[in-house]
Amino acid sequence: MLAVAYTLRLEDLARDVHAHTIGAGIARALGMEQVAGDAADWDVAKALFDAELAAPLAETAERDDSPRGIKLRALGVA
């Protein structure tokens, strides 16, 4: 079940990186500066995701009601 959750989250992350890349390309084509900073890099995004996932949970962490937190609780991994 965890492998399925990991794969689904990676697909979400890949779509976000792809959308950011497409948006940046369109902005450059229209002569605008990229607002969000550096161009998206899939390898960096995945490495940061894996590092966050591997980090230990804080003992006194408040309940995470973000979409990610809700998904993790629904899957029983948070």
Side-chain angles (χ1 to χ4, degrees):
M1 184 63 138
L2 291 176
V4 171
Y6 179 77
T7 302
L8 291 174
R9 184 60 191 124
L10 278 183
E11 288 177 356
D12 288 344
L13 185 60
R15 278 192 294 276
D16 291 346
V17 169
H18 181 71
H20 183 80
T21 302
I22 296 297
I26 291 170
R28 280 192 304 271
L30 295 173
M32 297 181 214
E33 291 184 27
Q34 189 174 350
V35 177
D38 294 336
D41 181 0
W42 168 247
D43 294 327
V44 172
K46 185 177 181 304
L48 290 172
F49 172 70
D50 288 340
E52 181 182 336
L53 192 62
L57 294 174
E59 293 291 328
T60 59
E62 293 183 24
R63 181 180 165 136
D64 182 9
D65 287 330
S66 69
R68 178 180 179 271
I70 293 168
K71 289 177 190 176
L72 291 176
R73 277 197 309 278
L75 293 168
V77 294

